Amino acid sequence: MTVTDPVTATDWAGLAASLAAPTGLLVGGEIRGAEATRKLLTPRDGTVLAEVAWAGEAEVDAAVAAARRAFDHGPWPRLHPRERGEILQRFAALVEEHRAEIALLVALEMGKPIRTAYEIELRALVRTLRYYGELADKEHGEVTPTTAGDLSIVTREPAGVVAAVVPWNFPLTLAGWKFAPALAAGCTVVLKTAEQSPLSMQRVAQLGLEAGLPAGVLNVVNGDGVVTGQALGRHRDVDILTFTGSTEVGRHFLRYSADSNLKRVYLELGGKSPNIILPDAPDLDAAADTAAWAIFFNSGEMCTAGSRLILHRDIAARVVDRIVATAADWAPGDPLDPTTAMGPLVDERSLARVLGQLDDGVAAGARVLTGGRRTRVDSGGPYLEPTVVTGLAADNVLLREELFAPVLSVVEVSSEEEAVAVAGDTPYGLAAAVWTADLGAAHRVARRLRAGTVWVNCYEEGDLSVPFGGVKLSGFGRDKSRHALAEYSDLKTTWIHYG
Ligand code: NAP
Ligand code: MG
């Protein structure tokens, strides 16, 4: 039997040429335009991809009103949770059916390699919808101890209208981690896409409607953060704000809440995650290859990127040599080529920012071991070579700031103790990893690392069943797992005195 690889077998450029991009907004069950439009460029080659409807305050008001109506008067929060789950399962099936078309939208709008878009981004969304579809009717209330004559019932009720504001680096995975549990819990949603990635999520939301979501249950608006995101943040008819993005913007959301109706806020923010390799790592070559993956995958545009590689002196040269030698495997290419491992950065602004940070880092003493330059200039897109730097003082910008780029900062240490101290020398706390064959060291280090997730002898592994989120300046609140479902409900106590 021959198994055909769907990514290799698809004519992506042909499909792109005949693609009808979803350029509208989805509000109250209808695809509509907006007063303003925005030309969207593709980082693949810098050309115009589409002209899309761009929401202002009026469109945000309409979307929140639709979500409010659907919550206050529509069937969604009152359905049996099993029925909500069934609709989410249908939603998952429709996304899977349209997997190629949606993966292509992701690859074109934000430059993700088509194989990653198809195999990782789309699969993650389908699995998320299935997971929360299955979980929708599995949470139970409580009956707590009382004396005879009283009955106390604790129920979970849908929390209301959820506004979700998301970034572009995983435009569907991260959106799904918010809207799927919110919908399963019986909430209604207004989601703002990131300026660089409106298309894929609009298409996904259309499929939600086709799957049977009632009008107004899932609304999607495109627009500028300071206008559209802020209008959602300050809206008094929004009950929950859930945000994934930078720490700087996360701070705004707390202000929006404080200045309006004290809506609750969940923040998934930035990171500068340490990846520690101790000398007794079980397989040093595998650790080095994974360390490269942890920073070059998705062009390093990952909140959990292993951007600080902390190496014990005894093995540092061997690990660094291997990473530098394999950097060529990550040479950027056309995102529509199925063999491309790394695409462009998301836009010219992002590339200019990173090149500036690299200049500052080098001026402060950093040594570039490989990469550091713009590449594929003729393509017209913002491509950056996979880059490795070393020789960094503790206050070097390349060790302090989240770069959101394929730039690995290497630090050498002499002991487990020093590794833990260097790892903790950051205001962020999203993720961390340690590589060692010593069970005691693994547990010791894992306990001492302040992060939402710690990986031992692996990186970026996980499952929908585990919560995801940060501590310190990486935010609070958790996506994924049954804990996320709980975040979109309110606990209600009903105390019945019957005599
Ligand atoms: P960003 O600039 O913070 O933007 C994120 C979202 O917020 C976008 O939709 C953006 O709109 C909107 N926004 C911007 N300014 C706003 C404002 N003043 N008020 C309301 N909304 C506003 O982040 P990004 O560049 O898109 O994404 C990269 C960041 O996301 C990194 O820091 C990364 O670590 C973080 N991230 C975190 C996680 C996690 O789970 N912890 C996951 C992925 C990414 P525009 O599109 O118009 O700018
Ligand atoms: Mg932005």
Side-chain angles (χ1 to χ4, degrees):
M1 191 179 81
T2 21
V3 179
T4 319
D5 168 12
V7 178
T8 311
T10 305
D11 169 18
W12 295 102
L15 207 57
S18 62
L19 191 70
T23 54
L25 313 176
L26 190 75
V27 174
E30 315 243 308
I31 299 170
R32 56 166 281 181
E35 265 181 43
T37 59
R38 167 71 65 93
K39 282 203 174 76
L40 193 67
L41 307 182
T42 171
R44 181 184 179 218
D45 56 14
T47 58
V48 175
L49 182 58
E51 185 161 350
V52 297
W54 214 240
E57 283 187 29
E59 288 86 4
V60 167
D61 276 345
V64 174
R68 189 79 256 166
R69 246 186 339 268
F71 187 80
D72 291 345
H73 308 294
W76 189 250
R78 285 161 275 278
L79 280 182
H80 191 296
R82 184 187 59 245
E83 292 177 65
R84 288 201 293 267
E86 285 164 0
I87 291 174
L88 291 181
Q89 299 279 12
R90 272 206 293 283
F91 195 171
L94 280 173
V95 171
E96 191 152 53
E97 216 175 280
H98 293 80
R99 191 170 171 180
E101 173 199 348
I102 304 168
L104 184 60
L105 291 172
V106 172
L108 289 172
E109 66 191 357
M110 55 67 68
K112 200 182 288 281
I114 190 65
R115 184 170 293 283
T116 312
Y118 187 91
E119 290 180 350
I120 297 183
E121 180 82 356
L122 266 292
R123 188 178 57 193
L125 177 62
V126 170
R127 286 187 176 166
T128 303
L129 285 166
R130 292 222 171 97
Y131 180 86
Y132 287 104
E134 285 163 3
L135 198 59
D137 63 348
K138 306 294 183 296
E139 295 292 341
H140 296 235
E142 298 161 12
V143 173
T144 68
T146 58
T147 50
D150 289 314
L151 175 63
S152 103
I153 308 173
V154 181
T155 46
R156 284 201 169 271
E157 306 210 329
V161 173
V162 174
V165 177
V166 295
W168 43 266
N169 59 332
F170 289 88
L172 302 179
T173 307
L174 300 176
W177 288 356
K178 297 183 182 307
F179 73 74
L183 295 179
C187 294
T188 60
V189 175
V190 180
L191 184 135
K192 186 194 100 60
T193 59
E195 58 190 316
Q196 298 90 342
S197 56
L199 301 176
S200 57
M201 186 58 217
Q202 288 291 349
R203 185 68 188 109
V204 164
Q206 291 171 4
L207 295 174
L209 206 59
E210 213 176 292
L213 290 178
V217 167
L218 177 59
N219 308 274
V220 180
V221 291
N222 318 321
D224 280 322
V226 282
V227 179
T228 315
Q230 173 155 211
L232 281 171
R234 293 188 180 278
H235 211 294
R236 289 177 183 272
D237 276 333
V238 168
D239 300 293
I240 292 185
L241 266 176
T242 175
F243 171 70
T244 298
S246 60
T247 297
E248 185 195 340
V249 174
R251 290 179 196 277
H252 288 303
F253 280 93
L254 289 176
R255 290 190 197 106
Y256 300 157
S257 168
D259 292 347
S260 58
N261 58 342
L262 291 184
K263 54 181 73 69
R264 63 182 190 254
V265 180
Y266 301 126
L267 302 175
E268 299 281 359
L269 309 176
K272 190 75 185 171
S273 299
N275 183 11
I276 301 171
I277 306 184
L278 295 178
D280 65 342
D283 180 344
L284 264 187
D285 288 347
D289 293 349
T290 306
W293 184 93
I295 188 67
F296 299 144
F297 176 70
N298 213 51
S299 301
E301 295 168 329
M302 262 206 312
C303 52
T304 49
S307 51
R308 291 185 300 139
L309 182 60
I310 300 172
L311 299 176
H312 193 282
R313 260 179 232 300
D314 296 351
I315 46 93
R318 181 169 155 195
V319 172
V320 168
D321 286 351
R322 187 169 170 102
I323 294 176
V324 168
T326 53
D329 300 344
W330 292 93
D334 179 0
L336 293 199
D337 178 345
T339 64
T340 292
M342 189 165 92
L345 294 191
V346 70
D347 55 23
E348 289 290 341
R349 200 174 41 175
S350 189
L351 178 61
R353 176 185 47 76
V354 180
L355 289 173
Q357 286 164 315
L358 277 168
D359 282 348
D360 292 348
V362 169
R367 246 175 335 112
V368 177
L369 298 178
T370 186
R373 288 165 312 185
R374 182 179 191 141
T375 180
R376 300 195 83 233
V377 177
D378 294 345
S379 71
Y383 294 82
L384 178 67
E385 292 171 338
T387 302
V388 181
V389 297
T390 190
L392 304 155
D395 63 352
N396 192 294
V397 60
L398 302 176
L399 269 184
R400 306 303 315 170
E401 288 184 12
E402 180 182 43
L403 305 175
F404 231 55
V407 178
L408 181 63
S409 299
V410 180
V411 182
E412 290 186 22
V413 294
S414 307
S415 65
E416 176 188 314
E417 190 63 32
E418 191 186 354
V420 170
V422 171
D425 184 17
T426 174
Y428 295 109
L430 192 57
V434 57
W435 297 74
T436 175
D438 176 346
L439 194 61
H443 281 294
R444 254 190 329 267
V445 175
R447 272 193 178 230
R448 292 178 65 192
L449 293 171
R450 283 193 68 203
T453 300
V454 178
W455 290 290
V456 177
N457 297 333
C458 61
Y459 205 94
E460 202 63 49
E461 299 290 340
D463 187 86
L464 273 162
S465 58
V466 295
F468 176 77
V471 299
K472 298 162 72 181
L473 289 194
S474 295
F476 48 81
R478 292 294 180 264
D479 285 331
K480 298 169 61 188
S481 81
R482 57 199 330 150
H483 299 284
L485 189 63
E487 291 192 343
Y488 297 104
S489 62
D490 287 321
L491 284 174
K492 178 188 267 184
T493 300
T494 307
W495 189 279
I496 303 171
H497 180 66
Y498 56 89

